[in-house]
Amino acid sequence: MGGVAQAFKEKKLSGSQQEGADGAKVKTESAAAKPSGPVAETFRVIQGALTEEHVKSTQGVFQFELSGDGGGTWYIDLKTKGGSAGFGKPPVTADVVMSMSSVDFVKMFTGEGQRPLSRDTAPRAQKSFC
């Protein structure tokens, strides 16, 4: 999912707003119709960044059980043609189910969270696991 996380950094969507003819921001969807907030925005960016290449190279469905503001069940489907991401149960059975706070989820996808050790930065004793 590294490509999706990178796309998130590069592509900030305006959410449910579009620019009107006079340049003013115009709300285009009802707040009650779709989830809003940082988690929903993260999933909108993920959905916009998905490519068939992500699907072909990943072949997995990820379900997120998020607690806190904007929480609930969310998914990223990188198995079904075209891929998809959004609120609710995935369209097919999840291969991985992760539970975390909505704050940690947003940090994970925006790169603001603590990064795991990589092979290059891990202490020598931990490098042999790959």
Side-chain angles (χ1 to χ4, degrees):
M1 282 190 287
V4 174
Q6 182 63 30
F8 182 84
K9 289 180 183 179
E10 295 171 1
K11 183 178 181 182
K12 293 283 185 176
L13 297 181
S14 62
S16 62
Q17 294 185 347
Q18 290 184 348
E19 205 167 287
D22 61 356
K25 299 290 183 191
V26 179
K27 192 165 179 93
T28 58
E29 56 189 58
S30 165
K34 292 188 177 184
S36 62
V39 172
E41 179 65 14
T42 301
F43 274 94
R44 278 191 287 276
V45 172
I46 291 168
Q47 176 64 46
L50 293 179
T51 66
E52 193 59 39
E53 184 58 36
H54 290 126
V55 174
K56 286 179 184 176
S57 66
T58 306
Q59 287 296 298
V61 177
F62 303 88
Q63 181 175 319
F64 300 90
E65 297 296 336
L66 304 179
S67 61
D69 290 343
T73 300
W74 295 80
Y75 71 91
I76 301 172
D77 176 1
L78 295 172
K79 188 180 269 188
T80 306
K81 184 173 174 70
S84 63
F87 184 74
K89 295 266 186 193
V92 296
T93 303
D95 298 301
V96 177
V97 177
M98 291 181 256
S99 297
M100 65 185 74
S101 73
S102 56
V103 171
D104 286 344
F105 174 83
V106 172
K107 285 180 180 179
M108 179 173 72
F109 275 89
T110 59
E112 295 175 13
Q114 183 177 4
R115 296 178 183 213
L117 294 175
S118 71
R119 289 188 76 205
D120 296 331
T121 61
R124 187 174 287 296
Q126 292 182 352
K127 286 187 177 181
S128 62
F129 69 92
C130 290

Coordinates of all heavy atoms in Angstrom, one line a residue, residues 1-35:
M1 N 0.8 -1.2 0.0 CA 0.0 0.0 0.0 C 0.9 1.2 0.0 O 0.4 2.3 0.1 CB -0.9 0.0 1.2 CG -2.1 -0.9 1.0 SD -3.4 -0.7 2.3 CE -2.6 -1.4 3.7
G2 N 2.1 1.1 -0.2 CA 3.0 2.3 -0.2 C 2.7 3.3 -1.2 O 2.7 4.5 -1.0
G3 N 2.3 2.8 -2.4 CA 1.9 3.8 -3.5 C 0.6 4.6 -3.1 O 0.5 5.7 -3.5
V4 N -0.3 3.9 -2.4 CA -1.5 4.6 -2.0 C -1.2 5.7 -1.0 O -1.7 6.8 -1.0 CB -2.6 3.6 -1.5 CG1 -3.8 4.3 -0.9 CG2 -3.0 2.7 -2.6
A5 N -0.3 5.3 0.0 CA 0.1 6.3 1.0 C 0.8 7.5 0.3 O 0.6 8.6 0.7 CB 1.0 5.7 2.0
Q6 N 1.6 7.2 -0.6 CA 2.3 8.3 -1.3 C 1.3 9.2 -2.1 O 1.4 10.4 -2.1 CB 3.4 7.8 -2.3 CG 4.2 8.8 -3.1 CD 5.0 9.7 -2.1 OE1 5.4 9.2 -1.1 NE2 5.2 10.9 -2.5
A7 N 0.4 8.6 -2.7 CA -0.7 9.3 -3.4 C -1.4 10.2 -2.5 O -1.8 11.3 -2.8 CB -1.6 8.4 -4.2
F8 N -1.7 9.7 -1.3 CA -2.4 10.5 -0.3 C -1.6 11.8 0.0 O -2.2 12.9 0.1 CB -2.6 9.7 1.0 CG -3.3 10.5 2.1 CD1 -4.7 10.5 2.0 CD2 -2.7 11.3 3.0 CE1 -5.4 11.2 2.9 CE2 -3.4 12.0 3.9 CZ -4.8 12.0 3.9
K9 N -0.3 11.7 0.1 CA 0.5 12.9 0.4 C 0.5 13.9 -0.7 O 0.5 15.1 -0.5 CB 2.0 12.5 0.7 CG 2.2 11.8 2.0 CD 3.6 11.4 2.1 CE 3.9 10.7 3.4 NZ 5.3 10.3 3.6
E10 N 0.4 13.3 -2.0 CA 0.5 14.2 -3.1 C -0.8 14.8 -3.5 O -0.9 15.8 -4.2 CB 1.1 13.4 -4.3 CG 2.5 13.0 -4.1 CD 3.0 12.0 -5.1 OE1 2.3 11.7 -6.1 OE2 4.2 11.6 -5.0
K11 N -1.9 14.1 -3.2 CA -3.2 14.5 -3.7 C -4.2 14.7 -2.6 O -4.8 13.8 -2.0 CB -3.8 13.3 -4.6 CG -5.1 13.6 -5.2 CD -5.5 12.5 -6.1 CE -6.8 12.8 -6.8 NZ -7.3 11.7 -7.6
K12 N -4.3 16.0 -2.2 CA -5.3 16.4 -1.2 C -6.6 16.8 -1.9 O -6.6 17.7 -2.7 CB -4.7 17.6 -0.4 CG -3.5 17.3 0.4 CD -3.9 16.5 1.7 CE -2.7 16.3 2.6 NZ -3.0 15.7 3.8
L13 N -7.6 16.0 -1.6 CA -8.9 16.3 -2.2 C -9.6 17.4 -1.4 O -9.4 17.6 -0.2 CB -9.8 15.1 -2.3 CG -9.2 13.9 -3.1 CD1 -10.2 12.8 -3.1 CD2 -9.0 14.4 -4.5
S14 N -10.5 18.1 -2.1 CA -11.3 19.1 -1.4 C -12.5 18.5 -0.7 O -13.4 19.3 -0.2 CB -11.7 20.2 -2.4 OG -12.5 19.7 -3.4
G15 N -12.7 17.2 -0.7 CA -13.8 16.6 0.0 C -15.1 16.8 -0.8 O -15.1 16.6 -1.9
S16 N -16.1 17.4 -0.1 CA -17.4 17.5 -0.7 C -17.6 18.9 -1.2 O -18.7 19.4 -1.3 CB -18.5 17.2 0.4 OG -18.4 18.1 1.4
Q17 N -16.5 19.6 -1.6 CA -16.6 20.9 -2.1 C -16.1 21.0 -3.5 O -15.2 20.3 -3.9 CB -15.9 21.9 -1.3 CG -16.5 22.1 0.1 CD -15.8 23.2 0.9 OE1 -14.7 23.7 0.5 NE2 -16.4 23.6 2.0
Q18 N -16.7 21.8 -4.4 CA -16.2 22.1 -5.7 C -16.2 23.6 -5.9 O -16.9 24.4 -5.1 CB -17.1 21.5 -6.7 CG -17.1 20.0 -6.8 CD -17.9 19.5 -7.9 OE1 -18.7 20.2 -8.6 NE2 -17.7 18.2 -8.2
E19 N -15.4 24.1 -6.8 CA -15.3 25.5 -7.1 C -16.5 25.9 -8.0 O -16.7 25.3 -9.0 CB -14.0 25.8 -7.7 CG -13.5 27.2 -7.5 CD -12.1 27.4 -7.8 OE1 -11.2 26.9 -7.0 OE2 -11.8 28.1 -8.8
G20 N -17.2 26.9 -7.6 CA -18.3 27.4 -8.4 C -17.8 28.3 -9.5 O -16.6 28.6 -9.6
A21 N -18.7 28.8 -10.4 CA -18.3 29.7 -11.5 C -17.6 30.9 -11.0 O -16.7 31.4 -11.7 CB -19.5 30.0 -12.3
D22 N -17.9 31.4 -9.9 CA -17.3 32.7 -9.4 C -16.1 32.4 -8.5 O -15.5 33.3 -7.9 CB -18.3 33.5 -8.6 CG -18.9 32.8 -7.4 OD1 -18.5 31.6 -7.2 OD2 -19.6 33.4 -6.6
G23 N -15.7 31.1 -8.4 CA -14.5 30.8 -7.6 C -14.8 30.4 -6.2 O -13.9 30.0 -5.5
A24 N -16.0 30.6 -5.8 CA -16.4 30.3 -4.4 C -16.6 28.8 -4.2 O -16.9 28.0 -5.2 CB -17.8 31.0 -4.1
K25 N -16.3 28.3 -3.0 CA -16.4 26.9 -2.7 C -17.9 26.6 -2.5 O -18.6 27.3 -1.8 CB -15.6 26.5 -1.5 CG -14.2 26.7 -1.6 CD -13.5 25.8 -2.5 CE -12.0 26.0 -2.6 NZ -11.4 25.3 -3.6
V26 N -18.4 25.5 -3.2 CA -19.8 25.1 -3.2 C -19.8 23.7 -2.6 O -19.2 22.8 -3.2 CB -20.4 25.2 -4.6 CG1 -21.8 24.7 -4.5 CG2 -20.3 26.6 -5.2
K27 N -20.6 23.5 -1.6 CA -20.8 22.1 -1.1 C -21.7 21.3 -2.0 O -22.7 21.8 -2.5 CB -21.5 22.2 0.3 CG -21.4 20.9 1.0 CD -21.7 21.1 2.5 CE -21.7 19.8 3.2 NZ -20.5 19.5 3.9
T28 N -21.2 20.1 -2.4 CA -21.9 19.3 -3.5 C -22.6 18.1 -3.0 O -23.3 17.4 -3.7 CB -20.9 18.9 -4.6 OG1 -19.9 18.1 -4.0 CG2 -20.3 20.1 -5.3
E29 N -22.4 17.8 -1.7 CA -23.1 16.6 -1.2 C -23.6 16.8 0.3 O -22.9 17.6 1.0 CB -22.3 15.3 -1.3 CG -20.9 15.4 -0.6 CD -20.0 14.3 -0.9 OE1 -19.7 14.0 -2.1 OE2 -19.6 13.6 0.0
S30 N -24.6 16.2 0.7 CA -25.1 16.3 2.0 C -24.2 15.7 3.0 O -23.7 14.6 2.8 CB -26.5 15.7 2.1 OG -26.9 15.5 3.4
A31 N -23.9 16.4 4.2 CA -23.1 15.8 5.2 C -23.7 14.5 5.8 O -23.0 13.6 6.2 CB -22.9 16.8 6.3
A32 N -25.0 14.5 5.8 CA -25.7 13.3 6.4 C -25.6 12.1 5.4 O -25.7 10.9 5.8 CB -27.2 13.6 6.7
A33 N -25.4 12.4 4.1 CA -25.4 11.3 3.1 C -24.2 10.4 3.2 O -24.3 9.2 3.0 CB -25.5 11.9 1.7
K34 N -23.0 11.0 3.5 CA -21.8 10.2 3.6 C -21.0 10.6 4.8 O -21.1 11.7 5.3 CB -20.9 10.6 2.3 CG -21.6 10.1 1.0 CD -20.6 10.2 -0.1 CE -21.2 9.7 -1.4 NZ -20.3 9.7 -2.5
P35 N -20.2 9.7 5.3 CA -19.3 10.0 6.5 C -18.4 11.1 6.1 O -18.0 11.3 5.0 CB -18.6 8.7 6.7 CG -19.3 7.6 6.0 CD -20.0 8.3 4.9

